[in-house]
Amino acid sequence: MNEHDSEKVAGVLLARGYRQVESVEAANVILYNTCSIREKAAQKVYSRLGEYRFTQKEGQVIGVLGCLAQQEGERIFTRAPWVSLVCGSASYRKLPQMIAELEAGNRRVTGLETDTDETFETELTRRDNPWRAYLTIIEGCDKTCSYCVVPFTRGPERSRASASILEEVRQLADVGYTEVTLLGQTVNSYADPSARRMRFSELLVAVAEVAGIRRVRFTTSHPRDFGKDIVEAIEAVPGICEHVHLPVQSGSTRILKAMARTYTREEYIEKIELVRASKRLISLTSDLIVGFPGETEKDFEETLSLLDLAQYDGAFSFKYSPRPNTPSLKLGDAIPEEEKARRLAILNEKQREIQRLRNEGLAGQVFEVMVEGKSKRERQWSGHTSSNKVMNFTSRVEESLGDYVQVRVTGATPNSLVGDVVGE
Ligand code: SAM
Ligand code: SF4
């Protein structure tokens, strides 16, 4: 989502006549997009800002965007007085105006409001990839997970009108994009604000039906709003990718309750059974947090047993990181860092083994792959399957970036598949 926000901001600047340059030194304006989801990400920002201070040229504007900008606000000007713009993502719609103020000679500008029902609409987005496009359909978050800064930094949930989304998809298809990823913190909580009242699953189908679009992805889905209609849409429409990212966070109902995730272990299992019962082989991925305050060894074992049950195709796992303004900050029973690290290592090892076995089980099968990368090694290419697995494969063709090819799996690692193009 941050990558796509940067693409939109770059589009706004380009439309004002700015030009992109290759290095920080060559720039007159640097807009640094930030993350504050975990403490480590937030710390990196100040160390990077410190580096900019030493390379700053006379008149060079340095701005800070994103969640850390929202979280720290004007404190950034105190800690890093060489910064002249601070803007959180909920205020990006005001960016053109803020940039105009800087151009007019204002020394410092801020955009820190989050009480908005507007989205950052821009047809000017400058996308990095010529075939795969991100597209935000819902901004902010109304869930209140007790560990999470996002509701504070990205503001309330607000959805874009379905007609505006579909128009953007048509424009993308017209200029050659074949894959779109619909984005939202809780993408499946999408609520069409227009009279059309399109459901999320209907929107998926409508996007897949746009001429020229071959693949539709969506992330991240919240388990509470995940229903059978989404699985049915994937089953019915081949263009909707066979992948669901459905973060569980913990396998213990007790911890899920303390996290305010709004579902129990059993309710979550019912959701993944919907996915696993599908006629299409839908890959399932997750996010997990270990060491939440009060997490006992028994709670952690429940997370491990959930991994056995869920058989995820991939997972992002994190040590719990206390964040400002979050309800869980006030909880006692902090788990020591070394214990969090121990649990994370055990969890990662177990998940790695699950992925290795799952991927090895795909040997001999044929998957359609979008060709996205060419290795330095001769005839070696890479891309993703519809199920979002990385495929490294051999092919004799000279140029096929952006094409779709059929690849037979000949080998596997925990994080990728290996194969050969069929029919060569
Ligand atoms: N909205 C998405 C969801 O609910 O699944 C993703 C939110 S966040 C950008 C991505 C992941 O970061 C979360 O799913 C969670 O696992 C992790 N995360 C969020 N806050 C965290 C914290 N305070 N400490 C550790 N991990 C955290
Ligand atoms: Fe954060 Fe929970 Fe919202 Fe995801 S659903 S962004 S974890 S508050």
Side-chain angles (χ1 to χ4, degrees):
M1 185 166 278
N2 256 7
E3 277 175 33
H4 183 43
D5 282 348
S6 296
E7 291 180 334
K8 289 194 248 184
V9 170
V12 166
L13 284 166
L14 290 174
R16 292 189 68 84
Y18 287 86
R19 189 169 52 82
Q20 199 155 14
V21 289
E22 292 299 318
S23 68
V24 162
E25 293 71 34
N28 295 114
V29 179
I30 300 168
L31 296 183
Y32 181 38
N33 198 359
T34 65
C35 173
S36 67
I37 196 80
R38 282 167 291 277
E39 179 62 22
K40 214 162 132 190
Q43 279 167 357
K44 275 191 205 159
V45 176
Y46 280 109
S47 72
R48 179 66 65 85
L49 285 178
E51 289 168 25
Y52 289 163
R53 177 191 190 174
F54 293 107
T55 54
Q56 191 173 26
K57 296 185 299 192
E58 179 72 29
Q60 190 182 47
V61 170
I62 299 177
V64 183
L65 306 177
C67 289
L68 193 87
Q70 188 66 49
Q71 184 187 300
E72 296 287 286
E74 300 200 353
R75 275 198 299 269
I76 293 185
F77 293 139
T78 315
R79 275 185 76 173
W82 52 96
V83 169
S84 46
L85 177 149
V86 173
C87 182
S89 69
S91 303
Y92 284 168
R93 71 198 181 290
K94 280 177 53 192
L95 258 182
Q97 180 196 327
M98 293 170 67
I99 290 164
E101 284 174 31
L102 283 179
E103 286 165 348
N106 267 11
R107 171 81 185 85
R108 276 182 178 157
V109 288
T110 53
L112 296 167
E113 298 80 18
T114 51
D115 56 342
T116 176
D117 52 8
E118 289 174 70
T119 51
F120 179 42
E121 301 262 348
T122 164
E123 326 77 72
L124 311 165
T125 305
R126 204 261 321 131
R127 290 184 164 83
D128 290 330
N129 185 304
W131 311 290
R132 312 176 73 177
Y134 293 123
L135 203 146
T136 310
I137 65 163
I138 172 170
E139 290 178 5
C141 183
D142 277 354
K143 305 281 188 292
T144 50
C145 303
S146 64
Y147 51 82
C148 185
V149 285
V150 169
F152 302 93
T153 56
R154 286 190 172 266
E157 205 170 273
R158 50 219 188 268
S159 296
R160 281 175 66 188
S162 51
S164 151
I165 296 168
L166 289 168
E167 181 52 32
E168 191 173 347
V169 175
R170 278 190 285 271
Q171 286 169 5
L172 288 167
D174 282 348
V175 294
Y177 284 93
T178 58
E179 180 179 311
V180 289
T181 302
L182 307 183
L183 293 177
Q185 290 297 338
T186 54
V187 73
N188 58 328
S189 310
Y190 175 77
D192 186 359
S194 67
R196 212 164 159 188
R197 297 272 174 255
M198 215 178 218
R199 296 176 72 188
F200 174 66
S201 52
E202 291 167 343
L203 180 68
L204 283 178
V205 174
V207 172
E209 280 171 353
V210 170
I213 296 299
R214 253 176 107 150
R215 283 183 171 182
V216 185
R217 301 187 183 280
F218 55 100
T219 198
T220 294
S221 296
H222 191 285
R224 199 191 71 189
D225 300 329
F226 190 85
K228 206 168 171 214
D229 59 323
I230 299 175
V231 179
E232 284 169 353
I234 299 175
E235 248 171 18
V237 182
I240 304 176
C241 286
E242 46 200 23
H243 172 216
V244 175
H245 184 58
L246 198 67
V248 68
Q249 313 298 358
S250 168
S252 151
T253 296
R254 202 178 71 80
I255 295 296
L256 287 171
K257 193 157 182 239
M259 288 176 164
R261 281 294 286 184
T262 71
Y263 52 84
T264 62
R265 173 187 172 98
E266 289 68 33
E267 283 162 347
Y268 180 84
I269 291 172
E270 280 171 24
K271 304 283 175 169
I272 59 177
E273 278 169 355
L274 289 177
V275 175
R276 292 296 184 214
S278 165
K279 288 194 262 323
R280 267 176 95 182
L281 183 64
I282 300 175
S283 83
L284 190 65
T285 55
S286 190
D287 294 346
L288 297 128
I289 297 177
V290 297
F292 188 79
E295 184 188 70
T296 61
E297 190 61 34
K298 185 168 166 288
D299 292 317
F300 176 59
E301 276 164 18
E302 287 197 56
T303 298
L304 293 179
S305 77
L306 188 93
L307 290 191
D308 281 328
L309 221 133
Q311 291 287 305
Y312 291 122
D313 295 277
F316 298 109
S317 311
F318 311 102
K319 290 187 282 183
Y320 168 72
S321 169
R323 307 306 299 126
N325 305 318
T326 57
S328 67
L329 196 61
K330 296 185 198 76
L331 295 176
D333 280 341
I335 309 292
E337 271 310 303
E338 316 78 74
E339 179 57 17
K340 285 188 206 168
R342 187 188 71 85
R343 291 182 190 178
L344 185 65
I346 294 172
L347 186 133
N348 280 341
E349 188 47 42
K350 185 174 189 67
Q351 180 54 31
R352 210 178 137 76
E353 185 57 14
I354 290 171
Q355 285 173 217
R356 187 181 66 78
L357 290 171
R358 283 190 75 76
N359 283 349
E360 282 176 5
L362 298 175
Q365 293 199 32
V366 173
F367 292 97
E368 185 178 79
V369 173
M370 185 209 233
V371 187
E372 292 151 55
K374 187 173 189 204
S375 157
K376 285 196 195 82
R377 296 209 331 264
E378 216 181 320
R379 296 180 14 207
Q380 284 294 318
W381 301 80
S382 64
H384 285 84
T385 62
S386 165
S387 57
N388 210 30
K389 296 204 183 243
V390 173
M391 177 83 82
N392 296 305
F393 62 98
T394 50
S395 167
R396 262 179 275 152
V397 294
E398 292 296 315
E399 204 42 75
S400 68
L401 290 175
D403 290 352
Y404 290 82
V405 294
Q406 301 294 319
V407 180
R408 187 181 308 281
V409 178
T410 56
T413 71
N415 292 313
S416 61
L417 301 172
V418 179
D420 295 324
V421 159
V422 174
E424 278 191 353

